[in-house]
mmCIF file of all heavy atoms in Angstrom:
data_model
loop_
_atom_site.group_PDB
_atom_site.id
_atom_site.type_symbol
_atom_site.label_atom_id
_atom_site.label_comp_id
_atom_site.label_asym_id
_atom_site.label_seq_id
_atom_site.Cartn_x
_atom_site.Cartn_y
_atom_site.Cartn_z
ATOM 1 N N SER A 262 -63.685 39.958 53.819
ATOM 2 C CA SER A 262 -64.648 39.817 54.977
ATOM 3 C C SER A 262 -64.008 39.874 56.367
ATOM 4 O O SER A 262 -64.713 40.154 57.285
ATOM 5 C CB SER A 262 -65.477 38.496 54.738
ATOM 6 O OG SER A 262 -64.571 37.374 54.797
ATOM 7 N N ASP A 263 -62.773 39.566 56.413
ATOM 8 C CA ASP A 263 -62.107 39.565 57.748
ATOM 9 C C ASP A 263 -60.531 39.944 57.448
ATOM 10 O O ASP A 263 -60.027 39.815 56.342
ATOM 11 C CB ASP A 263 -62.045 38.087 58.287
ATOM 12 C CG ASP A 263 -63.391 37.543 58.475
ATOM 13 O OD1 ASP A 263 -63.935 36.933 57.549
ATOM 14 O OD2 ASP A 263 -63.882 37.621 59.610
ATOM 15 N N ILE A 264 -59.979 40.558 58.620
ATOM 16 C CA ILE A 264 -58.655 40.872 58.620
ATOM 17 C C ILE A 264 -58.047 40.099 59.773
ATOM 18 O O ILE A 264 -58.510 40.199 60.887
ATOM 19 C CB ILE A 264 -58.438 42.438 58.747
ATOM 20 C CG1 ILE A 264 -59.072 43.276 57.795
ATOM 21 C CG2 ILE A 264 -56.858 42.728 58.918
ATOM 22 C CD1 ILE A 264 -59.146 44.760 58.124
ATOM 23 N N HIS A 265 -56.982 39.448 59.507
ATOM 24 C CA HIS A 265 -56.140 38.647 60.543
ATOM 25 C C HIS A 265 -54.827 39.323 60.733
ATOM 26 O O HIS A 265 -54.084 39.432 59.766
ATOM 27 C CB HIS A 265 -56.028 37.156 60.107
ATOM 28 C CG HIS A 265 -57.318 36.396 60.068
ATOM 29 N ND1 HIS A 265 -57.518 35.293 60.831
ATOM 30 C CD2 HIS A 265 -58.415 36.508 59.287
ATOM 31 C CE1 HIS A 265 -58.679 34.697 60.608
ATOM 32 N NE2 HIS A 265 -59.280 35.513 59.705
ATOM 33 N N ILE A 266 -54.551 39.760 61.987
ATOM 34 C CA ILE A 266 -53.299 40.206 62.326
ATOM 35 C C ILE A 266 -52.626 39.267 63.331
ATOM 36 O O ILE A 266 -53.131 39.061 64.370
ATOM 37 C CB ILE A 266 -53.345 41.547 63.105
ATOM 38 C CG1 ILE A 266 -54.053 42.622 62.072
ATOM 39 C CG2 ILE A 266 -52.032 42.097 63.463
ATOM 40 C CD1 ILE A 266 -54.362 43.887 62.680
ATOM 41 N N GLU A 267 -51.551 38.461 62.809
ATOM 42 C CA GLU A 267 -51.148 37.233 63.601
ATOM 43 C C GLU A 267 -49.717 37.391 63.891
ATOM 44 O O GLU A 267 -48.820 37.428 63.030
ATOM 45 C CB GLU A 267 -51.364 36.029 62.614
ATOM 46 C CG GLU A 267 -52.744 35.785 62.103
ATOM 47 C CD GLU A 267 -52.892 34.763 61.087
ATOM 48 O OE1 GLU A 267 -51.867 34.507 60.400
ATOM 49 O OE2 GLU A 267 -53.989 34.238 60.928
ATOM 50 N N PRO A 268 -49.423 37.436 65.246
ATOM 51 C CA PRO A 268 -48.043 37.446 65.700
ATOM 52 C C PRO A 268 -47.276 36.143 65.295
ATOM 53 O O PRO A 268 -47.774 35.065 65.534
ATOM 54 C CB PRO A 268 -48.169 37.642 67.175
ATOM 55 C CG PRO A 268 -49.598 38.036 67.423
ATOM 56 C CD PRO A 268 -50.402 37.407 66.364
ATOM 57 N N GLU A 269 -46.019 36.376 64.970
ATOM 58 C CA GLU A 269 -45.184 35.180 64.726
ATOM 59 C C GLU A 269 -43.824 35.529 65.389
ATOM 60 O O GLU A 269 -43.577 36.575 65.927
ATOM 61 C CB GLU A 269 -44.971 34.978 63.121
ATOM 62 C CG GLU A 269 -46.207 34.558 62.487
ATOM 63 C CD GLU A 269 -45.987 34.218 60.999
ATOM 64 O OE1 GLU A 269 -45.044 34.661 60.455
ATOM 65 O OE2 GLU A 269 -46.888 33.577 60.469
ATOM 66 N N PRO A 270 -42.856 34.617 65.425
ATOM 67 C CA PRO A 270 -41.627 34.743 66.324
ATOM 68 C C PRO A 270 -40.784 35.946 65.931
ATOM 69 O O PRO A 270 -40.437 36.658 66.779
ATOM 70 C CB PRO A 270 -40.840 33.465 66.001
ATOM 71 C CG PRO A 270 -41.860 32.509 65.741
ATOM 72 C CD PRO A 270 -43.011 33.197 64.883
ATOM 73 N N LYS A 271 -40.776 36.268 64.584
ATOM 74 C CA LYS A 271 -39.858 37.418 64.201
ATOM 75 C C LYS A 271 -40.580 38.499 63.404
ATOM 76 O O LYS A 271 -39.949 39.399 62.828
ATOM 77 C CB LYS A 271 -38.712 36.902 63.359
ATOM 78 C CG LYS A 271 -37.826 35.951 64.168
ATOM 79 C CD LYS A 271 -36.631 35.505 63.271
ATOM 80 C CE LYS A 271 -35.670 34.601 64.217
ATOM 81 N NZ LYS A 271 -34.453 34.082 63.464
ATOM 82 N N GLN A 272 -41.889 38.272 63.149
ATOM 83 C CA GLN A 272 -42.628 39.340 62.388
ATOM 84 C C GLN A 272 -44.128 39.143 62.689
ATOM 85 O O GLN A 272 -44.501 38.429 63.581
ATOM 86 C CB GLN A 272 -42.424 38.994 60.908
ATOM 87 C CG GLN A 272 -42.992 37.692 60.452
ATOM 88 C CD GLN A 272 -42.699 37.473 58.927
ATOM 89 O OE1 GLN A 272 -41.939 38.093 58.274
ATOM 90 N NE2 GLN A 272 -43.397 36.497 58.366
ATOM 91 N N VAL A 273 -44.955 40.107 62.037
ATOM 92 C CA VAL A 273 -46.365 39.934 62.266
ATOM 93 C C VAL A 273 -46.869 39.648 60.835
ATOM 94 O O VAL A 273 -46.429 40.259 59.780
ATOM 95 C CB VAL A 273 -46.972 41.256 62.789
ATOM 96 C CG1 VAL A 273 -48.509 41.128 62.936
ATOM 97 C CG2 VAL A 273 -46.291 41.718 64.052
ATOM 98 N N ARG A 274 -47.800 38.707 60.735
ATOM 99 C CA ARG A 274 -48.442 38.389 59.466
ATOM 100 C C ARG A 274 -49.861 39.043 59.298
ATOM 101 O O ARG A 274 -50.702 38.835 60.242
ATOM 102 C CB ARG A 274 -48.539 36.932 59.234
ATOM 103 C CG ARG A 274 -49.137 36.489 57.899
ATOM 104 C CD ARG A 274 -48.806 35.090 57.483
ATOM 105 N NE ARG A 274 -49.432 34.191 58.375
ATOM 106 C CZ ARG A 274 -49.741 32.845 58.058
ATOM 107 N NH1 ARG A 274 -49.381 32.388 56.777
ATOM 108 N NH2 ARG A 274 -50.215 32.021 58.787
ATOM 109 N N VAL A 275 -50.139 39.856 58.270
ATOM 110 C CA VAL A 275 -51.472 40.348 58.096
ATOM 111 C C VAL A 275 -52.071 39.572 56.890
ATOM 112 O O VAL A 275 -51.454 39.489 55.770
ATOM 113 C CB VAL A 275 -51.308 41.828 57.668
ATOM 114 C CG1 VAL A 275 -52.713 42.426 57.331
ATOM 115 C CG2 VAL A 275 -50.807 42.594 58.907
ATOM 116 N N ARG A 276 -53.285 39.039 57.011
ATOM 117 C CA ARG A 276 -53.976 38.315 56.029
ATOM 118 C C ARG A 276 -55.438 38.839 55.846
ATOM 119 O O ARG A 276 -55.989 39.325 56.880
ATOM 120 C CB ARG A 276 -53.943 36.845 56.313
ATOM 121 C CG ARG A 276 -52.647 36.143 56.377
ATOM 122 C CD ARG A 276 -52.643 34.671 56.279
ATOM 123 N NE ARG A 276 -53.266 34.095 57.586
ATOM 124 C CZ ARG A 276 -53.525 32.690 57.661
ATOM 125 N NH1 ARG A 276 -53.385 32.020 56.602
ATOM 126 N NH2 ARG A 276 -53.900 32.337 58.790
ATOM 127 N N TYR A 277 -55.918 38.793 54.637
ATOM 128 C CA TYR A 277 -57.311 39.176 54.373
ATOM 129 C C TYR A 277 -57.994 37.946 53.952
ATOM 130 O O TYR A 277 -57.525 37.076 53.178
ATOM 131 C CB TYR A 277 -57.442 40.163 53.120
ATOM 132 C CG TYR A 277 -56.821 41.522 53.460
ATOM 133 C CD1 TYR A 277 -56.560 42.401 52.345
ATOM 134 C CD2 TYR A 277 -56.547 42.020 54.721
ATOM 135 C CE1 TYR A 277 -56.056 43.700 52.607
ATOM 136 C CE2 TYR A 277 -56.050 43.238 54.969
ATOM 137 C CZ TYR A 277 -55.798 44.097 53.887
ATOM 138 O OH TYR A 277 -55.276 45.342 54.100
ATOM 139 N N ARG A 278 -59.228 37.759 54.323
ATOM 140 C CA ARG A 278 -60.120 36.597 53.855
ATOM 141 C C ARG A 278 -61.006 37.242 52.814
ATOM 142 O O ARG A 278 -61.816 38.106 52.980
ATOM 143 C CB ARG A 278 -61.018 36.128 54.939
ATOM 144 C CG ARG A 278 -61.738 34.833 54.558
ATOM 145 C CD ARG A 278 -62.635 34.179 55.582
ATOM 146 N NE ARG A 278 -61.760 33.641 56.655
ATOM 147 C CZ ARG A 278 -61.236 32.431 56.529
ATOM 148 N NH1 ARG A 278 -61.281 31.689 55.542
ATOM 149 N NH2 ARG A 278 -60.537 31.943 57.633
ATOM 150 N N ILE A 279 -60.658 36.751 51.587
ATOM 151 C CA ILE A 279 -61.489 37.256 50.419
ATOM 152 C C ILE A 279 -62.094 36.053 49.735
ATOM 153 O O ILE A 279 -61.495 35.103 49.403
ATOM 154 C CB ILE A 279 -60.465 38.001 49.411
ATOM 155 C CG1 ILE A 279 -59.723 39.088 49.991
ATOM 156 C CG2 ILE A 279 -61.329 38.432 48.162
ATOM 157 C CD1 ILE A 279 -58.765 39.715 49.185
ATOM 158 N N ASP A 280 -63.461 36.184 49.560
ATOM 159 C CA ASP A 280 -64.204 35.136 48.978
ATOM 160 C C ASP A 280 -64.017 33.790 49.789
ATOM 161 O O ASP A 280 -63.996 32.664 49.189
ATOM 162 C CB ASP A 280 -63.868 34.802 47.558
ATOM 163 C CG ASP A 280 -64.369 36.008 46.613
ATOM 164 O OD1 ASP A 280 -65.306 36.706 47.044
ATOM 165 O OD2 ASP A 280 -63.851 36.198 45.542
ATOM 166 N N GLY A 281 -63.957 33.871 51.113
ATOM 167 C CA GLY A 281 -63.794 32.769 51.921
ATOM 168 C C GLY A 281 -62.428 32.167 52.112
ATOM 169 O O GLY A 281 -62.287 31.139 52.874
ATOM 170 N N VAL A 282 -61.383 32.707 51.417
ATOM 171 C CA VAL A 282 -60.108 32.058 51.421
ATOM 172 C C VAL A 282 -59.079 33.199 51.973
ATOM 173 O O VAL A 282 -59.124 34.373 51.498
ATOM 174 C CB VAL A 282 -59.651 31.598 50.062
ATOM 175 C CG1 VAL A 282 -58.288 31.007 50.161
ATOM 176 C CG2 VAL A 282 -60.667 30.556 49.559
ATOM 177 N N LEU A 283 -58.145 32.752 52.824
ATOM 178 C CA LEU A 283 -57.181 33.740 53.375
ATOM 179 C C LEU A 283 -56.068 33.885 52.439
ATOM 180 O O LEU A 283 -55.564 33.075 51.789
ATOM 181 C CB LEU A 283 -56.674 33.196 54.769
ATOM 182 C CG LEU A 283 -57.507 33.376 55.922
ATOM 183 C CD1 LEU A 283 -56.943 32.584 57.101
ATOM 184 C CD2 LEU A 283 -57.797 34.841 56.307
ATOM 185 N N HIS A 284 -55.624 35.153 52.277
ATOM 186 C CA HIS A 284 -54.505 35.700 51.448
ATOM 187 C C HIS A 284 -53.549 36.402 52.286
ATOM 188 O O HIS A 284 -53.914 37.364 52.960
ATOM 189 C CB HIS A 284 -55.046 36.546 50.266
ATOM 190 C CG HIS A 284 -56.093 35.850 49.298
ATOM 191 N ND1 HIS A 284 -55.732 35.212 48.261
ATOM 192 C CD2 HIS A 284 -57.453 35.696 49.401
ATOM 193 C CE1 HIS A 284 -56.744 34.683 47.715
ATOM 194 N NE2 HIS A 284 -57.813 35.062 48.348
ATOM 195 N N ASP A 285 -52.157 36.106 52.066
ATOM 196 C CA ASP A 285 -51.256 36.815 52.794
ATOM 197 C C ASP A 285 -51.070 38.235 52.103
ATOM 198 O O ASP A 285 -51.150 38.382 50.842
ATOM 199 C CB ASP A 285 -49.837 36.218 52.686
ATOM 200 C CG ASP A 285 -49.707 35.018 53.578
ATOM 201 O OD1 ASP A 285 -50.384 35.063 54.666
ATOM 202 O OD2 ASP A 285 -48.898 34.117 53.385
ATOM 203 N N VAL A 286 -51.083 39.330 52.870
ATOM 204 C CA VAL A 286 -50.942 40.620 52.381
ATOM 205 C C VAL A 286 -49.609 41.299 52.733
ATOM 206 O O VAL A 286 -49.011 41.898 51.748
ATOM 207 C CB VAL A 286 -52.134 41.488 53.041
ATOM 208 C CG1 VAL A 286 -52.061 42.974 52.419
ATOM 209 C CG2 VAL A 286 -53.502 40.868 52.644
ATOM 210 N N MET A 287 -49.169 41.295 53.937
ATOM 211 C CA MET A 287 -47.949 41.857 54.355
ATOM 212 C C MET A 287 -47.342 41.382 55.491
ATOM 213 O O MET A 287 -48.046 40.673 56.244
ATOM 214 C CB MET A 287 -48.148 43.381 54.378
ATOM 215 C CG MET A 287 -49.076 43.817 55.445
ATOM 216 S SD MET A 287 -49.299 45.643 55.686
ATOM 217 C CE MET A 287 -47.681 46.107 56.104
ATOM 218 N N SER A 288 -46.124 41.580 55.824
ATOM 219 C CA SER A 288 -45.509 41.079 57.001
ATOM 220 C C SER A 288 -44.728 42.254 57.806
ATOM 221 O O SER A 288 -43.536 42.409 57.533
ATOM 222 C CB SER A 288 -44.561 39.970 56.823
ATOM 223 O OG SER A 288 -45.324 38.839 56.210
ATOM 224 N N PRO A 289 -45.488 43.066 58.597
ATOM 225 C CA PRO A 289 -44.691 44.124 59.301
ATOM 226 C C PRO A 289 -43.673 43.534 60.209
ATOM 227 O O PRO A 289 -43.817 42.473 60.700
ATOM 228 C CB PRO A 289 -45.849 44.876 60.075
ATOM 229 C CG PRO A 289 -47.113 44.419 59.309
ATOM 230 C CD PRO A 289 -46.796 43.061 58.862
ATOM 231 N N PRO A 290 -42.660 44.395 60.608
ATOM 232 C CA PRO A 290 -41.668 43.898 61.498
ATOM 233 C C PRO A 290 -42.193 43.592 62.905
ATOM 234 O O PRO A 290 -43.281 44.312 63.280
ATOM 235 C CB PRO A 290 -40.569 44.952 61.536
ATOM 236 C CG PRO A 290 -41.230 46.173 61.060
ATOM 237 C CD PRO A 290 -42.346 45.653 60.142
ATOM 238 N N LYS A 291 -41.571 42.817 63.737
ATOM 239 C CA LYS A 291 -41.942 42.446 65.041
ATOM 240 C C LYS A 291 -42.223 43.671 65.957
ATOM 241 O O LYS A 291 -43.116 43.625 66.727
ATOM 242 C CB LYS A 291 -41.077 41.457 65.585
ATOM 243 C CG LYS A 291 -41.494 40.771 67.047
ATOM 244 C CD LYS A 291 -42.686 39.828 66.805
ATOM 245 C CE LYS A 291 -42.994 39.170 68.158
ATOM 246 N NZ LYS A 291 -44.209 38.252 68.061
ATOM 247 N N HIS A 292 -41.304 44.639 65.882
ATOM 248 C CA HIS A 292 -41.261 45.697 66.825
ATOM 249 C C HIS A 292 -42.395 46.677 66.832
ATOM 250 O O HIS A 292 -42.677 47.388 67.613
ATOM 251 C CB HIS A 292 -40.004 46.422 66.878
ATOM 252 C CG HIS A 292 -39.710 47.266 65.673
ATOM 253 N ND1 HIS A 292 -38.978 46.679 64.570
ATOM 254 C CD2 HIS A 292 -40.087 48.432 65.243
ATOM 255 C CE1 HIS A 292 -38.857 47.581 63.599
ATOM 256 N NE2 HIS A 292 -39.544 48.670 63.978
ATOM 257 N N ILE A 293 -43.339 46.541 65.667
ATOM 258 C CA ILE A 293 -44.519 47.396 65.688
ATOM 259 C C ILE A 293 -45.765 46.585 66.047
ATOM 260 O O ILE A 293 -46.833 47.124 66.042
ATOM 261 C CB ILE A 293 -44.727 48.103 64.384
ATOM 262 C CG1 ILE A 293 -45.166 47.049 63.237
ATOM 263 C CG2 ILE A 293 -43.451 48.777 63.912
ATOM 264 C CD1 ILE A 293 -45.844 47.890 62.106
ATOM 265 N N GLN A 294 -45.531 45.338 66.479
ATOM 266 C CA GLN A 294 -46.691 44.477 66.839
ATOM 267 C C GLN A 294 -47.509 45.058 68.033
ATOM 268 O O GLN A 294 -48.627 45.276 67.907
ATOM 269 C CB GLN A 294 -46.166 43.094 67.171
ATOM 270 C CG GLN A 294 -47.171 42.209 67.831
ATOM 271 C CD GLN A 294 -46.662 40.862 68.232
ATOM 272 O OE1 GLN A 294 -45.852 40.184 67.504
ATOM 273 N NE2 GLN A 294 -47.001 40.306 69.450
ATOM 274 N N ALA A 295 -46.796 45.374 69.065
ATOM 275 C CA ALA A 295 -47.497 45.808 70.320
ATOM 276 C C ALA A 295 -48.317 47.114 70.040
ATOM 277 O O ALA A 295 -49.552 47.182 70.301
ATOM 278 C CB ALA A 295 -46.580 45.957 71.383
ATOM 279 N N PRO A 296 -47.736 48.209 69.495
ATOM 280 C CA PRO A 296 -48.437 49.456 69.221
ATOM 281 C C PRO A 296 -49.511 49.284 68.227
ATOM 282 O O PRO A 296 -50.608 49.863 68.313
ATOM 283 C CB PRO A 296 -47.361 50.412 68.834
ATOM 284 C CG PRO A 296 -46.209 49.706 68.410
ATOM 285 C CD PRO A 296 -46.265 48.435 69.252
ATOM 286 N N MET A 297 -49.246 48.495 67.217
ATOM 287 C CA MET A 297 -50.222 48.241 66.140
ATOM 288 C C MET A 297 -51.574 47.533 66.642
ATOM 289 O O MET A 297 -52.659 47.930 66.457
ATOM 290 C CB MET A 297 -49.678 47.452 64.967
ATOM 291 C CG MET A 297 -50.691 47.232 63.774
ATOM 292 S SD MET A 297 -49.823 46.555 62.358
ATOM 293 C CE MET A 297 -49.404 44.853 62.950
ATOM 294 N N ILE A 298 -51.361 46.407 67.461
ATOM 295 C CA ILE A 298 -52.466 45.729 67.938
ATOM 296 C C ILE A 298 -53.175 46.582 69.045
ATOM 297 O O ILE A 298 -54.375 46.589 69.192
ATOM 298 C CB ILE A 298 -51.956 44.391 68.580
ATOM 299 C CG1 ILE A 298 -51.605 43.479 67.423
ATOM 300 C CG2 ILE A 298 -53.056 43.799 69.472
ATOM 301 C CD1 ILE A 298 -50.996 42.119 67.807
ATOM 302 N N SER A 299 -52.365 47.369 69.838
ATOM 303 C CA SER A 299 -52.985 48.197 70.888
ATOM 304 C C SER A 299 -53.754 49.295 70.226
ATOM 305 O O SER A 299 -54.827 49.655 70.714
ATOM 306 C CB SER A 299 -51.876 48.745 71.814
ATOM 307 O OG SER A 299 -51.307 47.708 72.470
ATOM 308 N N ARG A 300 -53.322 49.744 69.094
ATOM 309 C CA ARG A 300 -54.201 50.804 68.393
ATOM 310 C C ARG A 300 -55.524 50.276 67.994
ATOM 311 O O ARG A 300 -56.559 50.969 68.160
ATOM 312 C CB ARG A 300 -53.419 51.269 67.078
ATOM 313 C CG ARG A 300 -54.199 52.171 66.159
ATOM 314 C CD ARG A 300 -54.514 53.482 66.791
ATOM 315 N NE ARG A 300 -55.428 54.274 65.986
ATOM 316 C CZ ARG A 300 -56.072 55.323 66.354
ATOM 317 N NH1 ARG A 300 -55.981 55.795 67.638
ATOM 318 N NH2 ARG A 300 -56.843 55.989 65.564
ATOM 319 N N VAL A 301 -55.513 49.065 67.394
ATOM 320 C CA VAL A 301 -56.809 48.396 67.073
ATOM 321 C C VAL A 301 -57.695 48.254 68.329
ATOM 322 O O VAL A 301 -58.875 48.647 68.278
ATOM 323 C CB VAL A 301 -56.564 47.051 66.396
ATOM 324 C CG1 VAL A 301 -57.922 46.332 66.159
ATOM 325 C CG2 VAL A 301 -55.829 47.136 65.143
ATOM 326 N N LYS A 302 -57.092 47.842 69.457
ATOM 327 C CA LYS A 302 -57.854 47.697 70.712
ATOM 328 C C LYS A 302 -58.463 48.959 71.238
ATOM 329 O O LYS A 302 -59.563 49.002 71.645
ATOM 330 C CB LYS A 302 -56.954 47.019 71.772
ATOM 331 C CG LYS A 302 -56.642 45.489 71.418
ATOM 332 C CD LYS A 302 -55.592 44.971 72.375
ATOM 333 C CE LYS A 302 -56.147 44.643 73.699
ATOM 334 N NZ LYS A 302 -55.152 44.001 74.609
ATOM 335 N N ILE A 303 -57.635 50.043 71.066
ATOM 336 C CA ILE A 303 -58.190 51.418 71.511
ATOM 337 C C ILE A 303 -59.344 51.796 70.640
ATOM 338 O O ILE A 303 -60.313 52.284 71.118
ATOM 339 C CB ILE A 303 -57.075 52.433 71.464
ATOM 340 C CG1 ILE A 303 -56.111 52.211 72.731
ATOM 341 C CG2 ILE A 303 -57.612 53.834 71.521
ATOM 342 C CD1 ILE A 303 -54.945 53.108 72.754
ATOM 343 N N MET A 304 -59.174 51.576 69.352
ATOM 344 C CA MET A 304 -60.329 51.924 68.374
ATOM 345 C C MET A 304 -61.648 51.152 68.782
ATOM 346 O O MET A 304 -62.735 51.671 68.567
ATOM 347 C CB MET A 304 -59.948 51.724 66.999
ATOM 348 C CG MET A 304 -58.835 52.504 66.400
ATOM 349 S SD MET A 304 -58.177 52.012 64.759
ATOM 350 C CE MET A 304 -59.533 52.225 63.735
#
Side-chain angles (χ1 to χ4, degrees):
S262 61
D263 302 85
I264 304 169
H265 290 240
I266 303 175
E267 304 172 335
E269 294 185 341
K271 296 183 180 180
Q272 62 181 16
V273 185
R274 181 161 66 156
V275 178
R276 298 196 287 173
Y277 294 163
R278 186 179 294 280
I279 302 172
D280 291 337
V282 178
L283 283 169
H284 299 267
D285 284 335
V286 177
M287 61 180 299
S288 298
K291 184 72 173 176
H292 65 266
I293 74 163
Q294 171 183 314
M297 183 169 67
I298 290 174
S299 295
R300 171 63 188 168
V301 174
K302 291 171 71 176
I303 284 176
M304 292 171 70

